[in-house]
Structures are given as C-alpha cells and as structure tokens.
C-alpha cells in the first residue's frame, strides 16, 4: 500500500483549479440509469470513487466510459441487470444510490450493504422507509438489500433526519413514479440541488430542491442530454484551510462561495482574509490566527466533511478551540494521528478540545477515511520535517490529482511504494 511523503514548512502559494463535486457526480451517474437515451456528463472528477461507480453500472450492462478527460458518456440499453457485485459495492458507500433508480426502472434490485469510509453509523432505514412508502417491498437478507415493486406510486414521506442519501434515492425513484411524491425534512445540500437540476434537464418535474420540502410529479420517461457537475465545495474548502494553515496566499478557481458560507465565516473568525476575484476566491492569513469553536450540522450548517481539516489548522492556534461533531461519531478519530505529530487534543464523546501548540512535528501517520487523509496532508504541510501518510487510497477516493496540484504550489511530495 502506498504512502505519501510531505516535506513541511512550505506556504501554499499560487493558483489551483477545483474539480467537479464527487458527491454530486456519483448521484448523477446513478440517476442516468433512469433513461434509455444517451447522457453526457461534464466536469466529472477522475477519482477512484467515480471509477468504482462506473464499474458497478457497467456490471449491470450499462455502457459507461470516459470520452474526454472529465467527461463521461452513459447509455443504458432497454433491459439491464438488477444485482450489484459485493466485491465492488463494498468499496463505495454511494453504491446505495442505485437502489432508487433500479427499483424505478427495473422493478427489482439486489444490492449488498455498501462499504466506504469508516466514519460512523450511516443506517439505511430512511431509504427503506421512503421507498416502502411508495409501494416497494424491501427486505434485508444476509447483508443484501432486496427490493421489488410494480410501478412505484407517489406518496408523502417525512424523513426523521435530513439524510442526503435517502433524499437522493427517494427523489430518483419518484421521478418515474405514478402521481406526486412529497418529501419533507429533506437534505438541502448543493449536491441535492445539482441532482434535481440534472433530473429536470432530462424532463423530470422536481421542485423545491434546496428547501425543506421537495415535490416531484412523476413522468412516464426521461430523455437524454448533456449536463455539467458543480465544483466540489469540499475540495475548495480543503485548499482554503490549507492556505490559511500554512500562511499561504492561494487563488482558488472553481468555487461557489454560497456553497461554503459556514466555512468562510469560521475562517474569517479565525483571522483569514477571503476575497472573491473574477469568479475566483483568494485566501490568505490576515493576522495571527485565533481559536474558534465549531459544531457540525446538516447543510447549511458547518459541514462534517470539513471538520477534520479545520482541526488540523487549529492544532497550532494559540489558545483553546472546541469542535463538536454532531453527524458522524468516528470523525474525531483523526485526533490520535495529530497527537502523534505533537498536537494536544482531548476527545470526550463527540467533542474535541484542542490546545494549540507552537508547531507540529513530522511523523508517520495513517489516514482512516477520506477527509482524515486530507486533514493529515494539511498537518504535514504545517509540520517541521517530513510526514509520511499511510492509506493514501482514501485520499485518492475524493481528490483528483491532488499530489500534482500540491507540487504545482511549491510543496515537495513523493509517493513511497
């Protein structure tokens, strides 16, 4: 398994281009199964998660291939399979997004419980509840989700928690259902809005994405088309935090600031200067950083996917910072790796108390999930000496060309085989 070697102490200076949103692209690939017509998707990040999703849909009999660097063409023949292989599904949490489209299209689905990063409990009960409310029969047998239905029927569905995955699965299932589906207490993330825009571009009737209630009027069929994925707000946020943490000066191309307002607010509170410049964002440190408190919440609250990166930055901020993780209970486990680098962090349940130290020291550390890997890169950039990050496959799941991007910004990195 490869490791990443980072030589610390170099501020991030220059310009970086942000790739398309991983989480939006995965949902849109799943949604493309709802039509028989060809679909072209632009601005797709060429990362391992996307390639695993393409392998899964190709295993179903779907034509899905890269036709340009960041463009995918998908064409679904009249009849496809409904069973997904465990050896692929175990690699990708987002494989569960095929549940809704396959039920709506094929009337049957068998999919193993998905894998992905070990960041905490992510139960499927809300997915099951919503699809069952539309007339599907769902059961779990020996780790395999089995579902069947005739044509799904519109229903009124209330989500006990605004789950992104459940919202997306129910949305995709509902576009071909008979009648109207109303989903209440839905997730409001930008990726939800992007999925709704993609579905509507193919002839779906989805209203309310980005609000608390989504209404979907079912249609008989969807057409094909071409669509471009939004920029990845978490990649943009990761580079923003890295710039501030290293006392750098970074121009970020491909960021929609309204998608990351809570992060921008917290970085400014800590002492960062953030300015929009011709559809780009310039990020640098304005003054000595100050300690801050963070609580992760569903969108539009502070994103759990940026919590680990902020913890890395706060390890050398004089004073006491507090992070409360309200979404995924295992997200704080990266604190143990920071402590190997000299950080002073006390974890109590879902709360991390960070006492800033003067500097971090390079060490051998291990990524436990995608965002922990990104956070350890930031810590390595901040640290004195070399840092070796193991489990780089987690990082490569969500950041396209990140090593090349770092090298272009003046960072010395190397891959150890």
């Amino acid at each position: 398994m490869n490791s990443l070697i980072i030589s610390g102490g170099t501020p991030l200076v220059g310009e970086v281009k942000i790739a398309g949103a991983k989480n939006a692209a995965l949902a849109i690939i799943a949604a493309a199964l709802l039509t028989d017509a060809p679909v072209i998707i632009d601005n797709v990040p060429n990362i391992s998660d996307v390639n695993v999703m393409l392998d899964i849909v190709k295993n179903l009999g779907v034509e899905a291939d890269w036709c340009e660097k960041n463009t995918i063409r998908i064409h679904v023949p009249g009849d496809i399979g409904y069973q997904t292989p465990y050896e692929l599904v175990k690699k990708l949490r987002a494989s569960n997004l095929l549940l809704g489209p396959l039920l709506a299209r094929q009337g049957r689905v068998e999919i193993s419980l998905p894998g992905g990063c070990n960041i905490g409990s992510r139960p499927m009960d809300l997915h099951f509840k919503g699809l069952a409310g539309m007339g599907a029969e769902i059961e779990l047998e020996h780790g395999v989700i089995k579902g069947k239905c005739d044509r799904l029927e519109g229903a009124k569905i209330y989500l006990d928690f605004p789950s992104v995955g459940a919202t997306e699965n129910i949305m995709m299932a509902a576009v071909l259902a008979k009648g109207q589906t109303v989903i209440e207490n839905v997730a409001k993330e930008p990726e939800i809005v992007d999925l709704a825009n993609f579905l509507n571009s193919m002839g779906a009737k989805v209203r309310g994405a980005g609000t608390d209630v989504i209404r979907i009027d079912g249609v008989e069929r969807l057409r094909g088309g071409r669509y471009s994925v939004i920029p990845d707000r978490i990649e943009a946020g990761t580079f923003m935090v890295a710039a501030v943490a290293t006392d750098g000066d970074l121009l970020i191309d491909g960021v929609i600031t309204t998608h990351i307002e809570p992060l921008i607010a917290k970085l400014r509170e800590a002492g960062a200067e953030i300015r929009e410049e011709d559809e780009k964002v310039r990020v640098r440190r304005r003054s000595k950083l100050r300690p801050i408190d963070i609580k992760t919440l569903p969108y539009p609250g502070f994103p759990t996917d940026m919590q680990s990166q902020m913890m890395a930055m706060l390890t050398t901020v004089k004073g006491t910072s507090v992070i409360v993780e309200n979404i995924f209970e295992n997200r704080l486990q990266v604190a143990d790796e920071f402590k190997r680098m000299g950080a002073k962090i006390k974890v109590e349940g879902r709360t991390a108390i960070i006492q800033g130290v003067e500097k971090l020291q390079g060490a051998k550390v291990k990524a436990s999930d995608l965002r922990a890997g990104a956070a350890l890169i930031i810590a390595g950039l901040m640290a004195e000496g070399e840092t070796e990050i193991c489990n780089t496959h987690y990082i490569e799941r969500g950041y396209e060309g990140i090593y090349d991007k770092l090298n272009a910004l003046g960072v010395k990195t190397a891959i150890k085989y």
Side-chain angles (χ1 to χ4, degrees):
M1 193 171 292
N2 297 343
S3 297
L4 173 67
I5 310 295
I6 296 178
S7 297
T10 302
L12 288 192
V13 177
E15 183 172 347
V16 64
K17 174 69 174 177
I18 301 303
K22 172 182 84 83
N23 292 332
L26 293 171
I28 287 170
I29 290 170
L33 270 61
L34 292 165
T35 178
D36 293 334
V39 173
I40 296 175
I41 311 169
D42 296 311
N43 202 33
V44 179
N46 196 334
I47 52 177
S48 60
D49 269 14
V50 166
N51 283 303
V52 170
M53 180 64 102
L54 292 179
D55 287 342
I56 293 172
V57 299
K58 284 192 281 190
N59 187 270
L60 294 169
V62 175
E63 297 173 15
D65 293 290
W66 297 96
C67 53
E68 296 175 28
K69 181 183 177 184
N70 292 109
T71 300
I72 290 172
R73 181 183 184 275
I74 297 177
H75 186 208
V76 185
D79 190 35
I80 58 174
Y82 62 88
Q83 297 171 306
T84 58
Y86 171 73
E87 59 271 15
L88 291 175
V89 169
K90 69 179 181 180
K91 300 178 181 179
L92 181 64
R93 179 70 188 180
S95 57
N96 65 13
L97 295 178
L98 295 169
L99 188 59
L102 286 175
L103 269 175
R105 180 189 175 90
Q106 299 297 106
R108 192 172 179 186
V109 62
E110 290 185 13
I111 182 169
S112 298
L113 283 174
C117 291
N118 181 24
I119 56 176
S121 175
R122 293 184 281 183
M124 294 285 296
D125 58 316
L126 296 179
H127 301 245
F128 300 164
K129 174 185 174 182
L131 295 170
M134 299 168 67
E137 297 178 21
I138 307 286
E139 59 183 4
L140 183 62
E141 286 186 4
H142 308 295
V144 177
I145 304 164
K146 296 184 178 182
K148 61 181 180 179
C149 64
D150 294 324
R151 185 179 181 186
L152 295 171
E153 299 206 2
K156 188 172 184 179
I157 299 162
Y158 178 86
L159 298 180
D160 298 324
F161 178 83
S163 160
V164 173
T167 300
E168 291 173 334
N169 248 329
I170 298 166
M171 280 174 60
M172 290 186 283
V175 296
L176 295 181
K178 182 179 179 181
Q180 185 180 79
T181 298
V182 178
I183 320 169
E184 298 178 329
N185 195 34
V186 295
K188 295 181 274 190
E189 274 76 356
E191 294 80 11
I192 298 288
V193 177
D194 209 33
L195 174 60
N197 289 341
F198 171 69
L199 291 168
N200 287 340
S201 75
M202 296 195 298
K205 297 180 179 179
V206 182
R207 293 172 291 143
T211 73
D212 291 317
V213 180
I214 294 177
R215 290 178 170 82
I216 304 160
D217 292 312
V219 298
E220 291 295 326
R221 65 184 302 274
L222 298 179
R223 58 178 178 265
R226 189 161 193 161
Y227 189 83
S228 184
V229 176
I230 58 172
D232 196 309
R233 61 191 172 106
I234 304 303
E235 184 190 2
T238 298
F239 275 102
M240 291 172 73
V241 173
V244 176
T246 61
D247 199 9
D249 187 343
L250 199 56
L251 192 63
I252 302 175
D253 182 8
V255 53
I256 301 174
T257 55
T258 54
H259 291 175
I260 52 173
E261 287 177 345
L263 173 64
I264 290 174
K266 283 298 176 182
L267 286 174
R268 284 176 172 158
E269 183 183 335
E273 179 183 306
I274 300 171
R275 291 189 292 138
E276 293 186 56
E277 298 183 2
D278 299 326
E279 299 183 354
K280 301 178 183 180
V281 174
R282 187 178 184 185
V283 184
R284 56 186 175 179
R285 189 183 295 184
R286 185 178 61 205
S287 59
K288 197 169 185 179
L289 294 182
R290 300 179 291 271
I292 57 174
D293 294 344
I294 294 171
K295 291 183 179 180
T296 64
L297 292 167
Y299 190 88
F302 191 90
T304 181
D305 279 356
M306 284 304 308
Q307 178 261 103
S308 298
Q309 298 92 310
M310 289 292 282
M311 186 187 295
M313 183 190 82
L314 294 171
T315 56
T316 59
V317 176
K318 187 177 180 180
T320 303
S321 299
V322 178
I323 295 177
V324 179
E325 174 53 62
N326 290 307
I327 309 299
F328 294 125
E329 65 272 17
N330 290 349
R331 268 268 159 83
L332 297 178
Q333 61 189 339
V334 71
D336 289 335
E337 303 304 306
F338 293 147
K339 287 192 280 188
R340 294 173 60 84
M341 303 175 72
K344 292 184 179 179
I345 305 171
K346 184 178 181 181
V347 176
E348 297 178 346
R350 289 179 176 254
T351 301
I353 302 166
I354 305 133
Q355 190 70 40
V357 297
E358 184 176 348
K359 64 178 65 175
L360 297 178
Q361 302 293 329
K364 187 172 183 177
V365 292
K366 179 177 65 176
S368 55
D369 64 75
L370 168 58
R371 306 309 172 186
L376 289 171
I377 286 178
I378 294 172
L381 294 171
M382 298 163 58
E384 186 177 75
E386 281 191 348
T387 297
E388 180 178 348
I389 304 172
C390 304
N391 290 352
T392 56
H393 64 281
Y394 282 118
I395 299 168
E396 292 152 11
R397 286 187 52 207
Y399 292 91
E400 181 184 44
I402 188 167
Y403 311 141
D404 291 337
K405 290 178 181 181
L406 290 171
N407 292 337
L409 296 172
V411 179
K412 184 179 178 183
T413 67
I415 298 295
K416 179 181 177 182
Y417 297 97

